[in-house]
Amino acid sequence: MAAFAYPQFGYTAPKVPRGGSEKCRVAIVGGGPVGLTAALDLAQHGISCILLDEEDTVSVGSRAICYAKRTLEIWDRLGVGERMLKKGVTWQVGKVFHGASQCYSFDLLPESGHRFPAFINLQQYYAELYLVEAAQARPEIELRWKHRVYDVVPGNDGVRLSVTTPDGDYTLIADYVLAADGARSTVRRKLGLDFRGQVFEDRFLIADVRMKADFPTERWFWFDPPFHAGGSALLHKQPDDVWRIDLQLGWQADPEVERQPERVLPRLKAMLGENTPFELEWISVYTFQCRRLDRFRHGRVLFIGDSAHQVSPFGARGANSGIQDVDNLVWKLALVMQGEAPETLLDSYDLERVAAADENILHSTRSTDFIVPRNNAVRALRDAVLGLADEHAFARRLVNSGRLSMPATYRNSVLSTPDTEAFEKGPQPGAPAIDAPIDQGKDWLLRRCQSGAFTLISFNGEIELPSTLQDKVKLVTVRDEGLAADRYSAAPGTAYLLRPDQHVAARWRRPSSAEISRAYERAIGRVA
C-alpha cells in the first residue's frame, strides 16, 4: 500500500458514563463517502449530527473510483469538489474491444462549457480523507471513530442506538438516523429488513497495480480479449500511477484462492506483458448484485447508499447514486426539522430515490446480462452483436459494457409543478439543472445556486421574488444571452425554480408571483 499513507483519526471516548445515554438531532451510522457527505450537507443546513463508525481510518483499497460530473457538482456545493477534481484523473472517452480489435469508442461529454468533466477516477480512500478533513472543520459535525452500533430500536419520537466502544457501551437517542453502513448494514439487519433483487452467478477479480504505463486516460473494456480468453476485462487509470484492472473469473472460481498473488500475477502478466514491471496494491473478488430495499424510509430511520441498494460496479452507479441519495434527502430533512415543511415531505425521498434506484438497477442488470450471459443462447446472441459491431455502426449501440452513471430525473415527482407552456429544450421539472458559464465566462450558473436553499433563476432579470419568499428563496439573475440561455431555452422573462438539490421544481415563460408561491409550496410538500 505504498501509494497512500492510511491516517489514524483516533478514538474519542463517549461523553456519558458507561451504560449512560445522550441525545442528538441526527445520527449517521457509517463513515464512508455517503455518510460523510450527509454530515457535510446537514452542516450546510445548520443541522448538528454525530457520525459513528467502527473503524478509525478510511477504507482499505481503492474500492469506488469513478465519480461522475453530478457527484462533483454536489461535492462542490459542499466545498470539496475542486479538491477532488485536482487530485483525480479526468476522463470522458471510453473504448470497447472485441478480441484484439476495437469495436467503437464514445465520448461522454462531447460539448464544452461545463465546469466539471464527465468523470474523474479517484481512489475511495482519497475521497473519504478529503470529506473527513472538511467535516473536521465544521462545528456542527462530531465524528466518533471506534463507535460501533450493535442495536437499533426505532420509536415514534426518536431512535435508540446501542453503541459499543473500547470504554464500554452507551445509548445514543437520535431524532433521526441515517443508515449509511453499507451493503452489510447492521441497521438494516436489526430492523429485520432485506433486499429484493438478483445476484448474478459470476465472479470478478479487482486488482490495483502500480506501474508506469503509456495507456491513455480512457476507460478500456474488452470482451474475450486474447490475454483472457472467454472472459471480459477492464482497465482504468487512477492517481499515483495506480491502475484498476477487472477480470471476469466465472462462477466456479474460489474467491479465497483467486485472491492469492500466485493466482493473480500470471493473469496480470498475460494482460500487461511479461516484462512490464508493476506492484500489486490491492486485490478483491466480488459478485454482481442488483438489489434494493422495498422502501428507503422506515419512520425516523432513512437508508442511503449501499445500505439501501446495490448495483454491479460496471457503470459506476453505486457511490454516485449514494451521493445523490444524500443530495435528495438532506434538504428535506432540514426543512422538516426546522419546522418549515411537514414530515410527510420525507416520503418524497422514498418515492424519488426508489425510482432512481430502479432505473440504476435496470441499466445495471442489462449491462450485467450482456457481460455475463445467462445461458448459451444469450451468449450466442451477445457474440453475434459483438461480431457485427466490429464493422457496422448500428450494432455498436447494442453493445453494453456498462451504461455509465447519469443523474436521475424525477419525472413523476409529487413535488414538481408540470409545465403549462412549451419549452423546446432545457431541464424539465424533476431534472437536475444544467451548468453553464455566465457573466461573460466569469462565473458558473450552478456555483451561483449553491446556497443550500431554493433558487429562482430569472433570465434578464424581469422576474422578482414574491415578498413572502424573500428569505426562503435565493434570486439569481442571468443577464447575458449565450450558452446558459440556449441550454435553458430561455427568453427574457423565463424563470426556473430550483430545489436545494438543484433539481428543477418548476419553470415558466413569465410567471406570476402566485405561480411561484404555489410551486414553492408544492416543492416543500404543502400542496397535495
Side-chain angles (χ1 to χ4, degrees):
M1 294 292 181
F4 181 78
Y6 282 81
Q8 298 295 317
F9 299 129
Y11 163 67
T12 301
K15 294 183 176 179
V16 295
R18 181 190 297 244
S21 65
E22 63 176 309
K23 294 184 178 181
C24 71
R25 303 194 73 190
V26 178
I28 301 171
V29 183
V34 173
L36 289 163
T37 300
L40 286 172
D41 209 353
L42 285 165
Q44 188 182 73
H45 287 87
I47 304 294
S48 62
C49 65
I50 295 175
L51 184 147
L52 307 161
D53 194 276
E54 59 187 270
E55 304 294 338
D56 70 339
T57 188
V58 295
S59 62
V60 176
S62 63
R63 299 183 183 272
I65 66 167
C66 292
Y67 297 106
K69 177 175 176 286
R70 182 60 197 144
T71 294
L72 294 173
E73 291 168 349
I74 295 167
W75 278 341
D76 191 57
R77 177 171 62 79
L78 302 176
V80 292
E82 287 288 351
R83 191 175 184 189
M84 303 285 189
L85 177 62
K86 184 176 180 180
K87 181 64 178 179
V89 171
T90 296
W91 69 277
Q92 64 190 59
V93 172
K95 292 179 179 176
V96 178
F97 300 85
H98 182 209
S101 302
Q102 179 179 320
C103 290
Y104 70 99
S105 65
F106 56 87
D107 188 334
L108 293 167
L109 196 65
E111 61 180 11
S112 60
H114 292 273
R115 185 177 173 206
F116 288 103
F119 277 90
I120 64 166
N121 285 354
L122 181 68
Q123 294 92 322
Q124 184 171 320
Y125 45 71
Y126 277 120
E128 289 182 12
L129 177 62
Y130 299 162
L131 291 165
V132 167
E133 290 177 350
Q136 289 171 333
R138 297 298 303 244
E140 303 93 340
I141 301 172
E142 184 179 347
L143 301 174
R144 295 188 180 180
W145 309 107
K146 294 285 187 182
H147 287 237
R148 180 176 63 85
V149 173
Y150 66 89
D151 198 14
V152 183
V153 180
N156 292 330
D157 56 354
V159 184
R160 297 175 64 89
L161 300 177
S162 298
V163 187
T164 188
T165 76
D167 290 325
D169 297 358
Y170 70 99
T171 299
L172 182 63
I173 303 171
D175 293 338
Y176 290 91
V177 167
L178 306 188
D181 50 343
R184 297 180 178 89
S185 170
T186 297
V187 179
R188 188 180 64 237
R189 187 175 70 253
K190 290 298 179 181
L191 266 59
L193 306 173
D194 202 0
F195 286 134
R196 62 174 177 84
Q198 187 174 0
V199 177
F200 292 85
E201 293 187 351
D202 211 323
R203 292 191 171 95
F204 283 75
L205 170 75
I206 293 179
D208 279 359
V209 302
R210 182 200 281 269
M211 64 178 178
K212 298 287 186 180
D214 58 1
F215 298 113
T217 54
E218 300 170 346
R219 179 188 192 264
W220 283 12
F221 190 98
W222 288 265
F223 291 98
D224 195 19
F227 54 81
H228 192 59
S232 62
L234 177 70
L235 179 69
H236 254 318
K237 185 178 182 181
Q238 305 174 60
D240 303 332
D241 293 319
V242 175
W243 295 78
R244 161 68 61 82
I245 296 170
D246 289 53
L247 295 171
Q248 187 178 4
L249 298 177
W251 183 240
Q252 302 305 319
D254 186 323
E256 294 304 318
V257 172
E258 295 297 342
R259 288 189 184 96
Q260 302 307 311
E262 58 267 26
R263 295 283 291 178
V264 175
L265 290 173
R267 297 185 187 279
L268 298 182
K269 287 180 180 179
M271 179 181 186
L272 303 172
E274 285 286 340
N275 298 320
T276 301
F278 64 84
E279 299 176 14
L280 281 174
E281 287 277 330
W282 178 62
I283 303 168
S284 182
V285 175
Y286 63 91
T287 301
F288 282 172
Q289 301 184 56
C290 293
R291 310 185 298 170
R292 69 165 174 85
L293 289 173
D294 283 333
R295 292 181 290 115
F296 296 170
R297 182 191 180 195
H298 290 264
R300 291 176 174 263
V301 179
L302 299 120
F303 290 86
I304 51 179
D306 285 352
S307 72
H309 46 74
Q310 290 178 276
V311 291
S312 61
F314 290 130
R317 294 177 180 273
N320 288 294
S321 62
I323 302 303
Q324 290 177 50
D325 289 345
V326 172
D327 193 40
N328 183 285
L329 170 63
V330 168
W331 68 270
K332 299 173 180 177
L333 182 59
L335 286 177
V336 169
M337 297 185 73
Q338 292 160 352
E340 296 291 326
E343 192 177 31
T344 52
L345 178 62
L346 297 177
D347 292 333
S348 71
Y349 165 70
D350 188 84
L351 293 170
E352 292 181 345
R353 293 309 298 168
V354 163
D358 283 343
E359 184 175 316
N360 279 324
I361 287 171
L362 175 63
H363 285 293
S364 189
T365 300
R366 287 173 174 172
S367 297
T368 306
D369 282 339
F370 197 88
I371 296 167
V372 185
R374 295 187 301 275
N375 52 51
N376 289 335
V378 176
R379 179 177 291 276
L381 178 61
R382 193 276 305 271
D383 291 346
V385 169
L386 290 169
L388 288 169
D390 290 342
E391 297 183 8
H392 301 286
F394 80 90
R396 292 166 195 160
R397 295 192 300 272
L398 304 176
V399 175
N400 193 336
S401 64
R403 296 284 187 260
L404 287 154
S405 175
M406 296 291 290
T409 293
Y410 308 127
R411 292 178 177 83
N412 301 311
S413 175
V414 296
L415 306 185
S416 298
T417 297
D419 285 338
T420 57
E421 300 166 282
F423 280 77
E424 294 178 3
K425 56 182 177 179
Q428 67 188 63
I434 305 169
D435 206 4
I438 58 174
D439 295 342
Q440 290 77 49
K442 297 176 184 177
D443 205 352
W444 293 92
L445 180 58
L446 289 189
R447 185 161 63 180
R448 194 77 67 81
C449 305
Q450 288 182 347
S451 64
F454 278 79
T455 301
L456 184 72
I457 303 174
S458 171
F459 284 88
N460 281 31
E462 297 192 12
I463 304 299
E464 296 183 356
L465 284 170
S467 58
T468 55
L469 298 182
Q470 295 288 334
D471 60 343
K472 302 178 187 299
V473 178
K474 178 182 178 181
L475 179 64
V476 170
T477 299
V478 178
R479 296 190 182 280
D480 57 331
E481 297 294 333
L483 192 55
D486 179 67
R487 286 180 175 166
Y488 284 78
S489 187
T494 298
Y496 280 72
L497 179 65
L498 303 188
R499 307 176 345 174
D501 58 4
Q502 298 178 339
H503 282 249
V504 176
R507 60 180 179 174
W508 309 270
R509 286 303 180 191
R510 190 176 294 274
S512 66
S513 292
E515 287 175 317
I516 296 171
S517 295
R518 282 197 298 270
Y520 173 81
E521 292 292 310
R522 180 168 182 158
I524 64 171
R526 286 187 183 158
V527 177

